[in-house]
Amino acid sequence: MFIKKIKPAAVASLLGLMIVSGNANAEKEFDFGKIYVGCGLGGMIGSAFENKTASQVLAVSTNITFDLGTTASISYFSSDNTCYNNKAVTAAFIHQSYETLEKEIAMGKGEYFDTLAALVVGKGSDADQYQATVRQQFAEVVADESYLQLSRYEKVEKLYYIAI
Amino acid sequence: MINPKRPYFFDHVSVVSYTFAFIILSLIPISVYAGQHNADLLSISKDAAWQRLLYYDLEKGRSDVISADYFLSPEGRSDPLKELKATLDSYSKPFPADADQHARCRFPARYLWLSERIHLANYQVIHPQCVSLKKSQEKLQLDSISLMFVTGYLGNPASSFGHSFIKLDTRNSYGDNSLFDLTISYGADVPENENVFLYIYRGLFGEYKAKISDKYFYSEDLVFSSTEFRDIWEYKLNLKDQQLLFFQLHMWEILGQQFQYYFLHRNCGYELSRILEVVIDGDLVKSADVYFLPIETFFSLSEIPPENTMFSDVIYHPSEQKVVYEHYQRLSDSEKQYVLEIMEQDKVNISILDTLEDGEQIEIIDFLLTYHKYLLTRDPDNEIFEKSKKALLVQRFNLPPRAAPEIEIEQFTPPVDSDKPGMFFAGYNYLDNQDDFFTFGYSPYAAQSLGRNNMNGNELIIMNAEIGVSEKAIFLDRFDLIRIKSFDRYHLPLENTLPLSWQLEAAVENINYENYDEFLGYFRGGIGKTWLQNRSVLGYVMVNGGLYTKGDNVLVTPEVGIRVDLGFARGLINIHKAYNLDGESDFLESKLIALAPISKDISFSIEMNYRDEFRANAGLQFYMY
């Protein structure tokens, strides 16, 4: 019922994503770029938006309109919504909360980092091992000399592939 | 033999004929309400609960929902009876190829409500063919519902009055927190990069469409707490299982439907009240002809008898700015010294921490990381902050993992226990050498700096009118179009900016207490610095500039003030001196105001003022909405 309310451009991209996913190997389904475009994580499609700051990302992805309220373009209540599969949910979560995750992964703990672990490996004892691995790999990304030159999109993408 | 209990006719019809007749009759569509008297249907269509389900506005004679597909009758938006009949007709229609499009799948809350009043053949809350609805309800394991209040802030005029949304407390959240709880928001669809004047115009005059939508709580948390630095108050609602089910089914019906948005009276607070009215089957909107404030929903809920039973819990989510501030207060003096030394350098030199134990290093770096995140939210393009953040991150990765400490946050009065926004005032005035008189005043929105609903010590008063009544006359004593005071209470000593204070005021006041016919109008604003001595005492100095309708038309008025919060009462003393543009002294005014709550909705106020002559006022403030 609610799938019809997704923006036409996002639907077209989403269909493209589903077709590609069906034909290619399973990893393609987890392709960050396709989720980014297909599920409208950037709010608008195009590389011109890749360097948005966190507040701009939040503004676009939630259509912040101050107290005229906020609206979402996709709905959880649409049970067939591909953008609510686990990988897409993880991508959206990292995309929106990157700055918080960056800090909490460095600390090794935190509400958002714990939630990321629960998203990917569940709430069990695997979570500690998962967090240790993510922390170690992400430390290398941050320590790299090129880190400051990366766009926000690129940083999010790197963390996404470490996280999944 | 004739069976006396059966009509004679049936004894002469064969079983085959009877079966055939039954099949034929079954194929003829019969309204589910066949046999239901029209009078009954009329009565049901006038039931407040049915009209709530349709978002029907009695005064306008139509529903607030503007989406045609929310109605099964072409005239359903303006005729609850026709919509009722169409809903009942649709019940027994065959399921289409896309079964989810059947009315029973699209409007499950309507049918649940109707099933308790009309016999619906083979009724099931969720029909097995409604696959999407079934999946959605299975996924969403709802424990409770919370109504969330986002405090107002003065950074944006449209945000000054607060915001509200609903949070669904679900069992299938990821992790042990509420980040993946769903939220239900009502918001206008505003085009990206909308011109600010068009934004105001369209917001005020209903030129935006709005809809109810859902998203995860973490999105709201990141926007309100981490970006706009606003507190969120979570009020958990005390609802029965049947009400939760009804809410869940109704959300399925209403999500995504379009409304017309009016900033003042058809806003988030109003429409969320209407949603909750459907669930609690009672009124939450007293009046919304001119405006409706988001906080009103909370007061209305708290007053449902027996009083204060609608909320089972109240949870405070402090803004990230407050967390940063309190985190800094938690550091020891030596840790603060290290923090200051690190921040004073152009290039962060973490090596000064090398001599410290891991635990101390972690304490300092974790604070600095939180602080940098805060700084970069305010100044996202600052490359120096980005570089120093990277250095801190790299150093932190070399230290053992440790969760951020629990930060104890200063406790504030929850909004529902604070003063209501509307204020009526009755007081007595004493003037040197003039007749005494009574004052009666009203403001529809008064968040006073000294009131329990103060915005972290800040003030916002709108349309405050005060009428004087003396033996000689009834006269306008004062009218404030707007009065704003803002103090930067959460400024840290390591910030390289000043802790600003600012104010704005547009008012008219009576200046002749003999004939009551002379008025002074003015518009003035000021900016300066705030000092927070401790949590109870705040000082400020400001330089104001103003335009006046009498005497010197332009005045510059330096002002100094102290605000004291004693818990049981709050007071403000200020002195300002006016100079004209030639540098000549115009007037000196000193003022003392104190406010002490004496019951839930009443405070005692006293004001003493000296400008050429002494004036005192004492009275009672009554709060309402």
Side-chain angles (χ1 to χ4, degrees):
Chain A
M1 163 175 188
F2 292 98
I3 193 85
K4 67 186 177 191
K5 295 184 173 65
I6 299 172
K7 291 173 184 170
V11 172
S13 307
L14 191 58
L15 288 173
L17 166 64
M18 290 161 75
I19 292 163
V20 171
S21 306
N23 294 337
N25 59 47
E27 280 186 14
K28 287 280 185 189
E29 190 186 331
F30 309 145
D31 186 296
F32 180 73
K34 290 191 172 65
I35 294 173
Y36 183 85
V37 173
C39 298
L41 302 190
M44 293 187 74
I45 298 161
S47 59
F49 294 89
E50 288 182 2
N51 272 311
K52 282 182 170 166
T53 60
S55 55
Q56 288 171 318
V57 165
L58 287 167
V60 170
S61 58
T62 61
N63 185 14
I64 291 174
T65 53
F66 298 98
D67 285 17
L68 266 63
T70 57
T71 56
S73 59
I74 50 177
S75 172
Y76 172 90
F77 279 77
S78 170
S79 55
D80 294 327
N81 196 330
T82 310
C83 292
Y84 274 90
N85 71 40
N86 197 270
K87 293 294 178 286
V89 167
T90 306
F93 181 63
I94 294 173
H95 178 63
Q96 285 200 49
S97 60
Y98 180 80
E99 287 69 20
T100 306
L101 281 169
E102 182 190 53
K103 182 190 80 169
E104 290 189 359
I105 294 171
M107 292 176 174
K109 280 282 170 194
E111 194 179 22
Y112 279 73
F113 192 25
D114 292 348
T115 302
L116 178 65
L119 262 173
V120 180
V121 295
K123 298 180 194 174
S125 55
D126 291 345
D128 288 343
Q129 181 56 46
Y130 170 82
Q131 287 185 320
T133 309
V134 169
R135 188 169 189 254
Q136 186 193 343
Q137 292 179 13
F138 189 57
E140 290 168 19
V141 171
V142 175
D144 194 278
E145 281 183 8
S146 65
Y147 186 70
L148 286 174
Q149 277 72 55
L150 295 178
S151 67
R152 189 179 187 278
Y153 174 92
E154 288 166 333
K155 288 178 184 171
V156 171
E157 188 180 34
K158 281 183 186 293
L159 178 56
Y160 170 76
Y161 285 122
I162 289 171
I164 62 162
Chain B
M1 184 180 171
I2 297 170
N3 183 342
K5 289 182 182 172
R6 298 176 66 191
Y8 176 73
F9 169 77
F10 283 101
D11 280 339
H12 295 272
V13 179
S14 69
V15 173
V16 174
S17 315
Y18 183 84
T19 307
F20 179 73
F22 177 79
I23 292 167
I24 294 296
L25 285 170
S26 301
L27 293 174
I28 301 169
I30 300 176
S31 293
V32 72
Y33 59 91
Q36 194 85 29
H37 289 295
N38 273 336
D40 293 342
L41 293 180
L42 184 63
S43 161
I44 291 171
S45 74
K46 286 184 175 175
D47 193 311
W50 175 250
Q51 299 193 352
R52 285 188 193 113
L53 276 164
L54 301 181
Y55 293 81
Y56 191 72
D57 184 324
L58 272 175
E59 284 178 19
K60 287 184 186 158
R62 63 170 192 262
S63 169
D64 286 343
V65 180
I66 57 175
S67 307
D69 67 357
Y70 191 63
F71 304 98
L72 291 161
S73 159
E75 294 152 89
R77 191 180 169 214
S78 54
D79 191 332
L81 177 60
K82 283 187 176 159
E83 185 60 16
L84 173 65
K85 287 179 176 174
T87 303
L88 293 171
D89 278 340
S90 301
Y91 180 81
S92 48
K93 283 184 180 164
F95 277 81
D98 178 3
D100 285 338
Q101 294 306 313
H102 192 279
R104 287 178 72 171
C105 304
R106 290 171 59 203
F107 299 106
R110 286 192 198 181
Y111 288 117
L112 175 58
W113 185 81
L114 286 169
S115 72
E116 290 162 2
R117 284 147 190 88
I118 295 176
H119 173 69
L120 300 175
N122 302 318
Y123 174 73
Q124 289 170 279
V125 175
I126 297 175
H127 192 279
Q129 292 209 52
C130 302
V131 178
S132 294
L133 170 62
K134 193 162 177 279
K135 273 190 200 168
S136 161
Q137 303 302 301
E138 283 169 358
K139 271 201 300 181
L140 190 73
Q141 297 176 42
L142 194 58
D143 266 341
S144 58
I145 295 169
S146 296
L147 185 60
M148 315 291 277
F149 181 70
V150 185
T151 55
Y153 85 129
L154 299 173
N156 180 296
S159 301
S160 304
F161 307 103
H163 180 63
S164 56
F165 62 92
I166 292 170
K167 182 162 82 67
L168 314 187
D169 311 316
T170 54
R171 264 164 283 163
N172 58 353
S173 302
Y174 301 101
D176 297 323
N177 52 54
S178 57
L179 293 180
F180 269 89
D181 281 344
L182 278 185
T183 62
I184 305 292
S185 300
Y186 177 81
D189 283 326
V190 180
E192 216 183 328
N193 302 322
E194 180 78 311
N195 174 288
V196 67
F197 296 106
L198 278 177
Y199 167 79
I200 293 167
Y201 173 78
R202 289 176 173 163
L204 285 173
F205 296 102
E207 294 206 358
Y208 288 127
K209 288 191 172 61
K211 66 174 180 279
I212 296 164
S213 59
D214 61 312
K215 67 176 75 138
Y216 291 124
F217 176 61
Y218 77 80
S219 293
E220 309 279 18
D221 182 52
L222 289 168
V223 171
F224 295 121
S225 174
S226 304
T227 308
E228 295 181 358
F229 309 127
R230 300 163 70 178
D231 298 334
I232 303 175
W233 288 91
E234 176 174 353
Y235 281 85
K236 220 171 259 292
L237 301 183
N238 218 346
L239 297 178
K240 297 185 179 82
D241 288 347
Q242 187 67 8
Q243 289 173 311
L244 287 177
L245 171 68
F246 195 60
F247 172 83
Q248 210 169 323
L249 297 174
H250 181 57
M251 280 304 101
W252 178 259
E253 295 176 346
I254 196 67
L255 273 171
Q257 302 293 350
Q258 286 193 316
F259 294 70
Q260 200 166 0
Y261 191 92
Y262 291 88
F263 172 70
L264 288 178
H265 67 306
R266 293 293 180 271
N267 49 29
C268 61
Y270 177 82
E271 295 303 346
L272 292 184
S273 294
R274 300 289 302 270
I275 290 177
L276 292 173
E277 283 180 345
V278 170
V279 181
I280 64 165
D281 197 14
D283 290 331
L284 292 174
V285 178
K286 280 186 180 173
S287 164
D289 294 337
V290 182
Y291 66 91
F292 189 89
L293 299 167
I295 193 64
E296 292 186 41
T297 319
F298 295 76
F299 284 119
S300 291
L301 282 165
S302 75
E303 288 168 5
I304 291 174
E307 214 166 299
N308 290 322
T309 52
M310 272 309 290
F311 302 128
S312 61
D313 200 6
V314 183
I315 300 166
Y316 176 51
H317 302 266
S319 74
E320 197 163 293
Q321 185 185 31
K322 283 193 181 132
V323 173
V324 171
Y325 181 83
E326 299 290 358
H327 195 162
Y328 181 76
Q329 306 305 326
R330 186 182 180 276
L331 298 177
S332 67
D333 288 345
S334 66
E335 287 166 347
K336 282 179 184 166
Q337 195 54 44
Y338 276 109
V339 165
L340 286 169
E341 276 182 40
I342 288 171
M343 290 306 297
E344 274 170 7
Q345 301 159 21
D346 284 342
K347 189 180 176 189
V348 168
N349 179 13
I350 311 288
S351 61
I352 63 169
L353 301 178
D354 286 349
T355 54
L356 300 179
E357 298 285 326
D358 280 2
E360 273 185 299
Q361 283 197 50
I362 289 171
E363 193 73 40
I364 293 165
I365 293 174
D366 284 1
F367 165 74
L368 283 168
L369 282 173
T370 307
Y371 180 56
H372 272 73
K373 181 172 176 293
Y374 167 71
L375 289 175
L376 282 160
T377 304
R378 290 169 50 149
D379 187 4
D381 299 321
N382 192 310
E383 291 182 4
I384 294 171
F385 293 155
E386 278 290 352
K387 280 181 188 164
S388 50
K389 182 183 77 173
K390 187 195 163 181
L392 290 162
L393 285 168
V394 171
Q395 179 71 4
R396 186 64 184 85
F397 276 118
N398 292 327
L399 294 163
R402 195 180 85 179
E406 284 286 324
I407 308 289
E408 198 176 317
I409 305 288
E410 181 185 4
Q411 285 299 307
F412 290 86
T413 311
V416 170
D417 299 325
S418 300
D419 298 334
K420 295 183 174 81
M423 180 186 73
F424 173 76
F425 170 76
Y428 184 76
N429 284 269
Y430 166 82
L431 284 91
D432 272 349
N433 310 317
Q434 303 287 347
D435 291 340
D436 299 350
F437 63 93
F438 290 96
T439 315
F440 300 95
Y442 176 74
S443 166
Y445 190 87
Q448 302 171 91
S449 175
L450 304 181
R452 280 171 288 192
N453 61 349
N454 73 79
M455 304 157 81
N456 295 327
N458 300 336
E459 177 167 280
L460 174 62
I461 296 173
I462 308 268
M463 310 276 274
N464 174 56
E466 294 177 16
I467 302 295
V469 179
S470 73
E471 284 182 355
K472 289 191 240 166
I474 297 174
F475 58 96
L476 176 68
D477 192 36
R478 175 176 192 90
F479 176 74
D480 296 276
L481 182 63
I482 189 164
R483 210 157 76 206
I484 305 176
K485 274 190 201 302
S486 174
F487 305 110
D488 186 359
R489 275 193 68 182
Y490 296 97
H491 192 274
L492 292 173
L494 56 158
E495 292 185 54
N496 57 6
T497 54
L498 281 177
L500 285 182
S501 55
W502 61 273
Q503 62 181 350
L504 199 66
E505 196 173 5
V508 175
E509 60 185 41
N510 175 46
I511 52 171
N512 183 328
Y513 288 97
E514 281 190 17
N515 300 317
Y516 311 108
D517 59 356
E518 220 177 323
F519 297 96
L520 172 70
Y522 56 88
F523 174 74
R524 66 185 173 207
I527 192 160
K529 188 179 172 186
T530 307
W531 283 275
L532 188 66
Q533 187 61 33
N534 53 46
R535 292 184 197 281
S536 306
V537 181
L538 178 150
Y540 68 89
V541 58
M542 280 193 240
V543 177
N544 302 296
L547 301 173
Y548 296 77
T549 55
K550 281 196 179 295
D552 290 314
N553 292 125
V554 181
L555 289 173
V556 177
T557 54
E559 175 181 345
V560 59
I562 297 174
R563 177 187 181 276
V564 180
D565 186 344
L566 300 172
F568 65 92
R570 298 178 187 89
L572 178 77
I573 302 170
N574 71 24
I575 301 170
H576 60 262
K577 185 158 177 60
Y579 296 91
N580 65 21
L581 290 179
D582 297 325
E584 295 162 346
S585 173
D586 192 293
F587 64 83
L588 174 76
E589 184 171 9
S590 51
K591 194 184 282 187
L592 182 149
I593 312 169
L595 201 60
I598 54 175
S599 75
K600 189 173 185 306
D601 292 321
I602 305 173
S603 288
F604 173 72
S605 78
I606 186 160
E607 180 174 338
M608 285 182 270
N609 187 316
Y610 184 83
R611 176 175 155 183
D612 302 329
E613 60 182 12
F614 180 74
R615 175 178 170 173
N617 173 307
L620 295 174
Q621 295 184 354
F622 303 86
Y623 307 112
M624 63 203 73
Y625 68 101

